Every structure is written in C-alpha cells, then in structure tokens.
C-alpha cells in the first residue's frame, strides 16, 4: 500500500536541528542532579600486569571525603560477564570484571574507581591512589600474537586464539591454478577507533528506598544496557531505567557494554547517591572499543576475458584483551571473509579467519564492521587483475557483477543477495564523474609529471540485521523495534518510538512517515524516545536499522491509528469508514476529497465527549505496533564510490580532489538526511584510509592517545563529495527502505586505496597498508624504483 | 592545593562576578558555574574546537584559557549569540542544509563561522575549509557545513 505523495521522499530539514544549533542540546554532561558525586578511574599504566596491592591512603589524605573502590569492592555487587555466543561453541572469551581484579590486561584498564564531590577532586584523589604492580609480558604485535612464544593475554585459555573459521565453496586452489592471471595482495588494516566528539558519559542514580536504578547516558542500545545492569547488579529489570539524552555521535563506540559505565552504577548502588563519570579524550583513546586491525592475504584469479575464476582470502583479525559482550566479537573478521568478493559472480572461494587476543583495549563494532576491509581487498585485487588482463577497471566491474538473471543468489561467502542495482549505480557514477574525460585528463597530466589516480569501488552494505543472526547466538539484544502513535485531543500527533536518535535525523524521518499515514503535516507530529521505561522495547541504533526496522514499526502503528480514527469518524458521521480518508488534517470523503470533520474534532470527541458517542463505541486513539524484519535476513544496500586524487612523489602526500558516491538504499524517506549520512560515512572511511591508527609499542603502550597525535580528517583535507541515488525498494516491507549509515564508510577506503595505487602504478610502486601515510608512499616508491 | 580568585567579567552582555578555582578553565566555568552548557568539551587539549567561545571579539579555545584569565573580558557563547540574533542567518543556513548531525561540534562551528564572516567577503570553498581546520566534526564530513557558510556569505556579501 503506497502512500500518496506527501512528506516521505522530501528533503525536509530535521526537526531536532534547531535546538542543537541554538546550543540547547542536552548531552549527558549537561544534566544536573542534586547530591551528585563525581567518579574518576585509576587506570593501569601497563598493558599486562598483576595488581599486587592497592593503597588508597594517600588519595584519602589528599582529598578528605573521597572514596576508593577497588575491582574487588565492585565485584561484591557486580558479577563479571563473558562475551560468548551460543552458536559459536568453539569461540573462547574469558570473564571480564567491570574494574580489573588481580590482573590488568590492557594499558588503560580501570583498576579502581574514586569518588569525590567534584570531577577535579575525584581526579586529584585518583592520582593519589598507589598501586603496586608486577609487570607481565604483553602480546601487543598483531602479526606475532599467535606465535608459539607470544605472551599469553589470558594464561588460563592456553592460547591467544579466540576463534577460527573457514568458508569453502567450489575449489579455489584449482581455480586459481587454472586462471590466466592471478594477482595477490598482503594487506594490513590498522587498528582504529570511532572518536565520537562527545566522549562517553554516564550518570547512575540508585534510589535505595525504591531499589530503583536510573541511568542517563548516551548509549546506542539502552535495552542492552538495561538487561546487563539488571542481571549483573542483581536489580529486577523493571526497576532499571536507561535514559538517553542527546548523544554527541556514536558510530558503534557507544553501542557496547563498558566496565566504566557498569562500575558507575555499582558505585551508585553502594553509596545510594547519583554518580557521574565523563571520559576525557585521553581515556577515550584507551577505553573506547577499537576496531579493524587485520592482516589479510588474498589472491584473485581471472580468465583472459577478465571473468573471475576464484578468490582466496586469509585474514588474521585482532581483538583487544576482550571482545564485545553480548554481540559477536568476531564480526569484524567474519564480515571480512563473508563479504569479500560479494558483488561479483564467482563459484570458487576460500575464506580463512583466525581471531586473536592482544593486550590492547577491547574490540567492538565500529561503523561498517569488517565490510571496509572486505571491500578494499576485493576491489584492489580486481583493479590489479584488470590491469593484468588489459581491461579498463570500470569495464572489469561491469563484466563481473552478478547479473539480474542470477539473482536471487547466495554468494560463495554465504551472503544472500535478493536484488541489486550494481550496473545502474556504476553507470550513474561513471556519468557523474565523467569517467572517460577524467581518464583523459589523468593521462595528459601524467605527461606533465603530475600523478593523479582514479579509484572506482563497488560496495555492498549489510544493514538492518534480523533475528537469524542474533537469536541463535543467544544475544540478549532485540532485532525488533516498536512504536506507539497517538492522537492528542487537539488533533496533533505524538509518536513514541524505540528508535534511538544519535544525530542521523531518524526521528525527523519517522515524523514524515506518520504524517503521510495520518494526512497531517510533519510538524504536527512530535517524536519522542530514549527512555526504556516509557517506550516500547527495541534494539537501538546499530546496523543502520532505524528506518528499516523502527520506521516499519512506526508505519504500522500509524496505519493502525489511521484505521481507528476512520472507524471513530464513521460512528460520528454515520458513514462507512471505507468511504473515508485522512488528508489535510481532517477526515475526508474518499470519493470527493471533501473534508468532513477535522482531526481536532475527532480528538476532542474521542477524548472528552464520550457521552455523545453511540453506545459500545470505545475510541482507541493510541496504537502500538512492533516489527521484526521478516522479509529478508538483512537489508542489503549497494553502491559504487569514486575517488580522484593526486599523489606527490616527492613528499608522499595525497591530495583528495573529489569524491563521488552512488548509493541504493532502497526507498528514500528524506534525501537530505541520507546524503549527509553518506558524506559523513565517506569521511570516516577516508580517515581509515589516510590518517587513523591507534599506534602501540611492542609493550602495548598506546603512543598517540591525544587528538594532536591520533589524526582525524579535518575540513581542509577533505574533498567535496557528490552523491547520487538509485532507488530499489526493499521487497516485503511497506516502506521499502534499506539502511544508509554505513555505505560511505564501507566503500571510501577502497576507493582511496585504488586511486592512490592507480596514481603510483606508472611509478612501479604500490601500497597495501591502511592508513596510507606519506612515509608509506615514499617507502613504496623507494622499493619500486 | 585549591586556590580561589575573584573575577568579574561580562558574559553574553551581562555582568558576572564569581570566586573561581585558579585551575578552572573557561568552559568549565561557563558550563558548571553559569549553566551555559552550549559550549562543549571534546578533547580539553586545544585540538577539536568544540569549546570555541568568543573573548573580547576573537574566537578562543575555552579549554586552553583559565577562567581567571577572562577577568575583565567580554565573553560570548552560542547562547548569547542565539539570543542576540547575531548568528541567526548562520543558524538558519546550518539547519536548512542539515549541516549538523549530533550537534556537538555545532556551537564551535558557528562561532568559527561567525568569525570567518567578519572578513566581510565571500570566500572560496577551499578558504572556508582552511578556516574550519581547527574545528573537528565527526558526523557531517564537512561538505554541508561548507555549503551552509558559503550560502550565508553569498547572502551577506552578494554573488
Ligand atoms: S575541548 Fe577545547 S579544543 Fe577540544
Ligand atoms: S555534528 Fe556531530 S560532531 Fe559535528
């Protein structure tokens, strides 16, 4: 049932933006609580060390009134957790305490919590806590973590291997042996992190009278937080409430369960007082989850015609000292081996994965999880094969895409593909870039000693993951979302949603959906959410699921309310509801479009004048609906990105000139929001391609834990990003949307890597490690010369 | 170890006097003492620009300046500039262009953009980007911010 032309599809400015632009946002640290205490952590200075003794004496002397809680103190009220999955019986992962007990396993792990009247005093006191350490050897070099003589991260596990997996389809070895051209790469993807501008912050308020815990914090999955707090602190779930105020960016970083957040609640429970913790940036760099961190060797074989014959991928994926709790911690690596080669027709594939622990901050999901790696490996090999076979890279892709006739298909990596629009996206991108002219310009400039490169990378983007993956894992994380839509007495509409708004503008898009169902203007719909005690239960903001799952729930709730309104109007007007419609803020005659009764009248009568209704009429002006994605296991978006850049062979510097994206995220509810999701994602992908790296020394000390040293993309280095769309609505849903939040990050590193290597190719050099730094380019040039 | 000092200054056009800790930086003072939470903290070491405020007519990093150094100064934050209407066209352009997502960088961006406009002329996209290079935004990718500022320059200074 398609909506009539209305708010959906229009580039409407976001409703919440005004408040934020006037400095009236309310982020966690902006909240004020009477009697608030402030908490600071004492953190391990060693990547691996035994805690011999903790002496709080000097801290208490320096700040009278301060309180110090060791890991053992916290453990008395908080049980440890373990990141295991029911459907991965061979995966190992040790128990993790909120605050380390006995042994610290990464530099920065909290070992004591200190509470005082102000943040400054809590930090003063934390500095006074004396910890006696016995340093232990650390495993901190990714490519050596699985060596026989590597230091054990968790000695009780017997090895640093957390998980190993292999995928085989056809016979990749034989196919490669028979291929006309075999190209290879030994790729490295540095460890990096999500760097939301607002650091993690939490305020826990335990009320001993009622036994209730209220937690305010910028969490992307507040129900997961609620479940964890309830089970590990022993507080019945209905007495735990998690409230999410404005969130200053998440990108997956605020999706996870952190010892710090849980410890703050534990301390609040112990003291019966509200307690706040706000990470500073240095702490964020050693405690926010880190991601990527893979070494991937891969080989691709093609025939003389450029057709893919076989692909082999071997990935070593590094976790930190722990994986994420409640979510498959191996996903970064699994996405690499399942998504590699995905867009292209192929029968022979082999993917191998080993996942290893290191003495580094815990690992977790960061925007696009593993897909940027799968994409970069696949696309770079395809470019190399195109070159070997003497085929233009764009043509190479067109020849190899899954055809429409082949779909639906299950890729050799195991990804179910329904319908893609790769050729349409590629054609659109080539036109937007003016690909032919750009190649000519590149050639002309080469003649003048200017080295420019073009990278064109195809991507698949797995979004809106359904129950097939999280259910069997035993994850206590919902893949469902819910909404209540209700008509207020004035005729205005309120929508209470489980969707968490972290800046994408999803709430604004939900208003557009409701508006169209009820025939009102989007500004007449208020969307509220972010309180687990008030909204329907949901999954939260991850895997770009807000509109595809939460939006569908909202559509259904609004549809239900629509039916109820028409039924009530039928009894008021003595008309058949089937002859009535909703438009322009009124119930109208379906045949003539003429307004019969205003929604404000329906609201007034439905709420206040029940005495005037026929006997037996029970107005239901609030409707709740939920939606579990059941049409497909996940919504697979697709697209193509293009990068145009210049490499200076003298300095090794890369200058980004222009970037293009054509994305098919299904039906678009609000292009303004979608395009900015894509642009923001591209820039994060470029960050991974050129700048971002958590650097650690061999002892596991992070070397660049400040904003001055950990480079992030700033405005001056970023190109303009042109975005185009192809719309292939997702089948089996009312809205037809797919996620769009990760597309930019999936494809941008590949596009940039390909473009750099395209620029370097005539100079006989190539780079296979991200981030690509001026040093790595100069090194490659020296090696190639 | 705590040392307190009396200061008197003007914040958003209103006189303010307080006794502050010598070590308190300006943004903590604005946020915690005056409740002006529109200025944010992203790094507290002078790189991200989330704490940008205007002091005596120039934008400064509020995390690198002590509250006591603002004694006698004229300080403006996003709240004051919103009330005065001084950046209304910038705010409208940011909203219309969706040049903010989480909004955490936005007050700092707006103050930096307002300073850019003081030059009284249109700038190229490259110049706008260079001027913004002390303000980190993790969400938008900057393109929309550059668009929004460019639109305001066009409106204020003509085509
Ligand atoms: S908080 Fe001041 S520059 Fe980052
Ligand atoms: S809008 Fe989130 S940091 Fe700029």
């Amino acid at each position: 049932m398609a909506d009539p032309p209305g708010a959906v599809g229009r580039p409407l400015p976001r409703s919440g933006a005004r408040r934020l632009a006037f400095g009236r946002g309310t982020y966690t640290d902006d909240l004020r609580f009477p009697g608030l205490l402030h908490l600071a952590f004492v953190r391990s200075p060693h990547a691996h060390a035994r805690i011999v003794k903790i002496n709080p004496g000097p801290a208490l002397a320096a700040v009278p009134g301060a309180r110090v809680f060791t890991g053992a103190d916290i453990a008395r009220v908080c049980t440890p957790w373990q990141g295991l999955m029911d459907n991965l019986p061979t995966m190992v992962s040790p128990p993790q305490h909120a605050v380390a007990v006995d042994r610290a396993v990464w530099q920065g792990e909290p070992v004591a919590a200190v509470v005082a009247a102000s943040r400054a005093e809590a930090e003063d006191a934390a500095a006074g806590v004396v910890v006696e350490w016995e340093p232990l050897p650390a495993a901190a070099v990714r490519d050596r973590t699985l060596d026989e003589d590597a230091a054990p991260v968790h000695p009780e596990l017997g090895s640093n291997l957390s998980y190993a997996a292999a995928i085989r389809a056809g016979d990749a070895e034989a196919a490669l042996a028979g291929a006309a051209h075999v190209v290879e790469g030994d790729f490295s993807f540095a460890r990096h992190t999500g760097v939301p501008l607002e650091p993690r912050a939490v305020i826990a308020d335990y009320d001993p009278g009622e036994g209730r815990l209220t937690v305010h914090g910028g969490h992307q999955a507040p129900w997961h937080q609620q479940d964890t707090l309830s089970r590990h602190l022993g507080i019945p779930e209905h007495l735990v409430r998690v409230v999410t105020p404005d969130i200053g960016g998440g990108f997956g970083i605020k999706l996870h369960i952190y010892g710090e957040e849980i410890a703050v609640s534990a301390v609040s429970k112990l003291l019966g007082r509200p307690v706040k913790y706000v990470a500073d940036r240095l702490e964020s760099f050693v405690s926010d989850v880190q991601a990527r961190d893979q070494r991937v060797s891969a080989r691709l074989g093609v025939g003389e015609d450029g057709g893919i014959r076989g692909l082999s991928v071997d990935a070593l994926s590094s976790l930190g000292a722990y994986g994420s709790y409640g979510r498959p911690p191996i996903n970064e690596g699994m996405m690499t081996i399942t998504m590699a080669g995905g867009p292209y027709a192929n029968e022979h594939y082999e993917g191998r994965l080993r996942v290893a622990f290191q003495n580094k901050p815990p690992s977790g999901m960061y925007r696009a999880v593993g897909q940027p790696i799968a994409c970069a490996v696949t696309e770079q090999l395809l470019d190399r094969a195109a070159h070997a076979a003497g085929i233009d890279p764009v043509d190479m892709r067109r020849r190899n895409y899954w055809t429409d006739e082949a779909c639906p298909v299950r890729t050799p990596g195991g990804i179910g593909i329904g319908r893609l629009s790769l050729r349409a996206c590629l054609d659109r991108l080539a036109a937007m870039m003016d690909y032919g002219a750009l190649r000519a310009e590149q050639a002309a400039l080469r003649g003048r000693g200017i080295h420019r490169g073009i990278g064109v990378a195809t991507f698949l983007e797995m979004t809106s993951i359904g129950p097939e993956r999280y259910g069997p894992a035993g994850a206590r994380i919902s893949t469902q979302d819910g909404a209540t839509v209700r008509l207020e007495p004035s005729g205005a509409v309120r929508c209470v949603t489980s969707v968490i708004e972290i800046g994408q503008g999803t709430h604004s898009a939900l208003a557009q959906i409701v508006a169209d169902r009820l025939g009102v203007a989007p500004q007449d719909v208020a969307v509220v959410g972010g309180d687990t005690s008030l909204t329907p239960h949901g999954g939260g903001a991850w895997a770009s699921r807000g509109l595809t799952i939460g939006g569908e729930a909202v559509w259904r709730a609004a549809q239900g309310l629509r039916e109820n309104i028409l039924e009530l109007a039928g009894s008021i007007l003595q008309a058949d509801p089937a002859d009535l419609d909703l438009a322009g803020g009124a119930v109208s005659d379906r045949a003539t479009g003429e307004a019969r009764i205003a929604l404000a009248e329906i609201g007034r009568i439905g709420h206040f004048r029940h005495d005037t209704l026929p006997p037996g009429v029970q107005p239901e002006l609030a409707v709740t609906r939920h939606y579990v994605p059941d049409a497909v296991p996940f919504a697979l978006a697709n697209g193509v990105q293009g990068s145009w850049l210049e490499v200076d062979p003298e300095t090794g510097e890369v200058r980004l000139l222009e970037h293009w994206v054509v994305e098919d995220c299904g039906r678009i509810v609000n292009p303004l929001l979608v395009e900015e999701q894509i642009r923001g994602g591209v820039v994060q992908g470029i960050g991974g391609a050129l700048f971002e790296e958590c650097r650690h020394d061999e002892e596991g000390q992070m070397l660049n834990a400040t904003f001055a040293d950990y480079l992030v993309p700033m405005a001056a280095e970023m190109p303009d990003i042109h975005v185009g769309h192809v719309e292939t609505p997702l089948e089996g849903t009312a809205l037809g949307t797919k996620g769009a939040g990760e597309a930019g990050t999936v494809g941008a590193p590949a596009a940039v890597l390909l473009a750099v290597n395209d620029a370097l190719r005539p100079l006989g050099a190539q780079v296979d490690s991200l981030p690509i730094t001026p040093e790595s380019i100069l090194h490659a040039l020296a090696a190639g010369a | 170890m705590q040392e307190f000092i009396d200061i008197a200054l003007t914040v958003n056009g209103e006189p303010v006097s307080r006794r502050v800790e010598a070590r308190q930086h300006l943004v903590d003072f604005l946020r915690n003492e005056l409740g002006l939470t529109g200025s944010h903290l992203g790094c507290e070491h002078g790189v991200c620009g989330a704490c940008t405020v205007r002091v005596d007519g120039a934008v400064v990093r509020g995390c690198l300046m002590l509250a006591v150094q603002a004694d006698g100064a004229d300080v403006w934050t996003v709240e004051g500039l919103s009330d005065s209407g001084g950046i209304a066209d910038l705010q409208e352009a940011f909203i219309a262009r969706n040049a903010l997502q989480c909004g955490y960088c936005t007050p700092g961006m707006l103050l930096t953009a307002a300073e850019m406009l003081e030059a009284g002329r249109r700038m190229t996209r490259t110049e706008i980007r260079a001027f913004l290079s002390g303000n980190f935004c993790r969400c938008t990718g900057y393109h929309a911010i550059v668009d929004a500022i460019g639109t305001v320059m066009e409106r204020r200074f003509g085509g």
Side-chain angles (χ1 to χ4, degrees):
Chain A
M1 185 182 329
D3 287 315
V8 168
R10 285 171 52 202
L12 301 177
R14 182 154 65 95
S15 53
R18 181 166 303 272
R19 194 167 50 79
L20 302 176
F22 281 67
R24 298 295 295 270
T26 308
Y27 304 89
T28 304
D29 192 30
D30 301 339
L31 298 167
R32 296 291 176 262
F33 286 78
L36 184 70
L37 295 171
H38 297 257
L39 190 150
F41 287 100
V42 179
R43 293 176 181 278
S44 172
H46 303 285
H48 198 185
R50 202 169 70 77
I51 304 165
V52 179
K53 193 169 155 224
I54 297 179
N55 175 12
L60 304 180
V63 183
R67 300 281 301 266
V68 176
F69 299 89
T70 64
D73 296 333
I74 304 278
R76 274 192 272 284
V77 291
C78 178
T79 53
W81 52 86
Q82 205 167 356
L84 296 175
M85 297 278 113
D86 293 350
N87 58 349
L88 299 171
T90 60
M91 186 182 81
V92 295
S93 185
Q96 179 182 3
H97 283 277
V99 173
V101 177
D102 297 334
R103 211 158 49 88
V105 286
W106 83 86
Q107 178 231 343
E109 181 171 11
V111 294
V114 182
V115 178
S118 72
R119 183 176 175 194
E121 286 176 288
E123 287 176 1
D124 288 344
V129 174
V130 177
V131 185
E132 200 180 309
W133 295 100
E134 179 193 326
L136 299 168
V141 180
R142 179 189 59 206
D143 298 346
R144 300 211 298 261
T145 341
L146 291 177
D147 289 358
E148 284 284 309
D149 58 352
V153 178
H154 301 287
E156 70 277 18
L157 299 181
S159 139
N160 288 333
L161 186 72
S162 171
Y163 184 69
I167 298 172
R168 276 186 197 89
D171 187 343
E173 277 314 314
L176 287 167
H181 306 279
V182 176
V183 292
E184 57 185 33
D186 183 7
F187 301 94
S188 173
F189 298 87
R191 191 176 186 81
H192 52 112
T193 183
V195 204
L197 185 52
E198 179 210 22
R200 287 189 290 121
V202 63
I203 300 167
D205 187 4
Y206 184 76
D207 169 1
E210 305 263 348
R212 276 177 205 275
L213 175 68
T214 304
V215 173
H216 291 79
H219 206 270
Q220 291 174 247
W223 289 276
H224 186 204
Q225 187 86 329
Q226 171 180 294
D227 176 80
T228 306
L229 290 165
S230 166
R231 288 187 303 117
H232 292 280
L233 291 173
I235 304 171
E237 189 169 14
H238 64 292
L239 300 181
V240 180
R241 171 184 174 213
V242 179
V243 183
T244 55
D246 286 321
I247 303 179
F251 320 115
I253 300 309
K254 294 175 184 167
L255 181 60
H256 297 283
I257 301 300
Y258 288 94
E260 287 91 347
E261 273 89 325
I262 306 300
V264 170
S265 288
V267 170
S268 177
K269 189 179 177 197
L270 283 165
L271 297 178
R273 292 269 298 270
V275 179
K276 172 157 89 171
Y277 164 71
V278 180
D280 69 24
R281 184 56 56 186
L282 280 59
E283 291 182 286
S284 302
F285 276 119
V286 296
S287 67
D288 283 0
V289 293
Q290 300 182 348
R292 312 296 187 248
D293 205 359
Q294 280 187 45
R295 170 105 180 242
V296 183
S297 344
R299 287 175 300 147
L300 174 75
V302 301
E304 286 297 354
D305 60 351
I308 292 176
R309 298 291 184 266
L311 173 65
S312 164
V313 174
D314 185 2
L316 169 63
S317 171
S318 261
L319 300 177
Y322 297 103
S324 49
Y325 174 44
R327 291 174 186 275
I330 54 163
N331 268 8
E332 190 90 45
M334 284 307 289
M335 288 295 251
T336 301
I337 63 166
T338 53
M339 299 292 278
Y344 304 105
N346 176 31
E347 284 169 32
H348 301 288
Y349 177 69
E350 178 163 12
R352 290 208 316 135
L353 170 68
R354 288 166 304 152
V355 183
F357 292 111
Q358 296 182 102
N359 291 105
K360 291 182 186 169
S363 299
M365 282 112 189
Y366 163 51
R367 199 175 197 171
V369 193
Q371 299 175 95
I373 296 175
C375 179
V377 167
T378 305
E379 296 297 313
Q380 184 62 78
L381 291 184
L382 204 61
D383 254 25
R384 278 180 198 158
H387 187 71
I391 297 170
D392 176 84
V394 165
D395 190 27
M396 186 74 171
R397 283 162 175 83
R398 201 174 277 121
R399 287 182 195 203
N400 277 293
Y401 287 147
W402 292 107
T403 59
D404 287 346
E405 298 73 56
C407 294
V409 68
R410 180 166 288 269
T411 70
I415 303 299
I417 292 179
R419 201 148 61 102
L420 298 176
S421 58
L422 295 172
R423 279 183 183 73
C425 289
L426 185 69
D427 291 344
R428 186 81 213 285
L429 187 94
M432 279 168 64
M433 293 174 79
D434 203 351
Y435 180 74
L438 216 52
R439 281 282 176 215
E441 185 180 344
Q442 177 189 36
L445 288 170
R446 266 182 192 156
R448 294 176 18 214
I450 294 173
H451 298 276
R452 292 200 172 171
I454 300 171
V456 174
T458 305
F459 62 89
L460 302 180
E461 178 197 8
M462 187 188 282
T463 75
S464 313
I465 292 168
E468 262 183 36
R469 291 184 166 226
Y470 276 64
R476 297 180 66 84
I477 294 169
S478 182
T479 48
Q480 185 183 51
D481 267 299
T484 301
V485 179
R486 68 176 195 248
L487 186 73
E488 302 292 355
S490 65
V493 181
R494 229 190 274 263
C495 169
V496 184
T497 173
S498 65
V499 170
I500 303 300
E501 172 66 74
I502 55 172
Q504 326 90 314
T506 322
H507 279 191
S508 206
L510 295 178
Q512 290 176 257
I513 293 167
V514 173
D516 281 3
R517 283 290 83 206
L518 299 180
V520 298
Q523 57 269 26
D524 295 328
V525 182
V527 178
V528 293
D531 184 336
T532 61
S533 72
L534 295 178
T535 76
H537 193 279
W542 48 277
S544 302
R545 60 198 296 287
L547 275 191
T548 306
I549 302 176
E552 198 73 11
V554 162
W555 190 95
R556 289 174 179 218
Q559 175 67 16
L561 179 60
R562 175 191 175 88
E563 287 161 13
N564 291 358
I565 290 171
L566 293 180
E567 193 181 311
L568 179 60
S571 20
I572 295 169
L573 299 171
Q574 301 291 303
D576 183 347
D579 296 335
L580 301 174
D581 198 0
L582 288 179
V587 177
S588 56
D589 186 284
R590 183 175 286 281
T592 65
E594 183 196 337
R596 298 281 310 273
I597 178 171
L599 274 183
E601 261 311 272
I602 298 284
R604 187 184 66 86
I605 296 168
H607 285 287
F608 305 135
R609 294 306 306 270
H610 306 131
D611 57 302
T612 64
L613 295 173
V617 173
Q618 291 283 352
E620 280 288 354
L621 295 180
V623 173
T624 299
R625 291 283 185 275
H626 292 82
Y627 178 68
V628 184
D630 53 359
V632 281
F634 44 78
L636 195 63
N638 67 257
V640 186
Q641 296 197 23
S643 168
W644 171 234
L645 53 74
E646 186 171 315
V647 176
D648 183 338
E650 299 301 320
T651 63
E653 264 165 310
V654 173
R655 195 157 62 90
L656 301 171
L657 301 170
E658 233 163 330
H659 199 100
W660 299 265
V661 183
V662 176
E663 148 93 334
D664 184 347
C665 59
R667 187 166 180 214
I668 293 175
V669 174
N670 183 329
L672 194 59
L673 302 179
V674 167
E675 287 175 14
E676 296 319 313
Q677 277 302 300
I678 289 173
R679 290 195 174 96
V682 163
V683 166
Q684 286 191 13
I686 290 174
L690 296 179
F691 306 111
E692 298 186 38
E693 175 171 17
C694 300
R695 287 191 285 119
H696 293 86
D697 68 13
E698 298 205 354
E699 269 75 54
Q701 293 287 322
M702 189 162 170
L703 301 172
N704 59 339
T706 74
F707 256 154
D709 301 305
Y710 180 101
L711 302 181
V712 286
M714 301 300 279
E717 294 89 48
M718 289 304 107
D720 279 342
I721 300 161
H722 311 282
V723 182
H725 305 287
V726 170
E727 285 189 65
T728 311
L730 182 67
E731 286 165 348
T733 65
L735 280 169
T737 61
K738 304 171 192 168
E742 291 159 287
T745 309
V746 177
V752 170
L753 174 70
L754 269 57
V756 167
N757 280 326
D758 188 50
L760 292 178
R761 192 167 289 116
L763 303 170
Q766 76 180 30
V767 288
D768 278 355
S769 290
L770 267 54
I772 305 162
T773 61
E775 294 91 310
S776 70
I777 288 181
L778 292 177
H779 191 77
L781 284 166
Chain B
M1 79 192 313
Q2 277 159 310
E3 195 194 330
F4 292 89
I5 294 169
D6 290 324
I7 59 169
L9 64 164
T10 309
V11 178
N12 294 331
E14 290 178 19
V16 170
S17 49
R18 286 286 193 285
R19 167 161 294 198
V20 299
E21 241 193 292
R23 64 179 176 174
Q24 185 170 54
H25 63 57
L26 180 59
V27 174
D28 271 354
F29 172 72
L30 294 169
R31 291 176 51 83
N32 299 340
E33 306 297 326
L34 305 185
L36 295 169
T37 54
S39 305
H40 300 141
L41 291 167
C43 69
E44 294 174 272
H45 50 257
V47 186
C48 75
C51 62
T52 304
V53 292
R54 188 188 286 174
V55 177
D56 291 334
V59 296
V60 303
R61 303 211 176 295
C63 72
L64 291 187
M65 182 172 182
L66 294 171
V68 295
Q69 291 175 295
D71 187 25
D74 179 30
V75 176
W76 285 84
T77 69
V78 69
E79 289 94 341
L81 292 173
S82 297
D83 290 348
S84 75
I87 55 170
D89 53 353
L90 272 172
Q91 288 167 316
E92 292 308 323
F94 268 58
I95 294 162
R97 184 59 193 84
N98 199 31
L100 64 153
Q101 290 181 23
C102 79
Y104 201 77
C105 70
T106 311
M109 285 286 178
L110 288 167
L111 267 78
T112 302
E115 173 149 279
M116 216 181 301
L117 293 168
E118 308 259 292
R121 63 174 181 89
R122 286 185 65 185
M123 293 182 184
T124 64
R125 292 181 75 81
T126 308
E127 285 176 301
I128 295 173
R129 285 180 179 278
F131 208 107
L132 288 177
S133 63
N135 288 75
F136 175 49
C137 174
R138 189 53 153 175
C139 303
T140 63
Y142 305 106
H143 186 120
I145 296 175
V146 177
D147 285 352
I149 295 170
T151 305
V152 173
M153 286 177 169
E154 210 167 293
R155 287 203 193 119
R156 281 207 197 174
F157 312 126

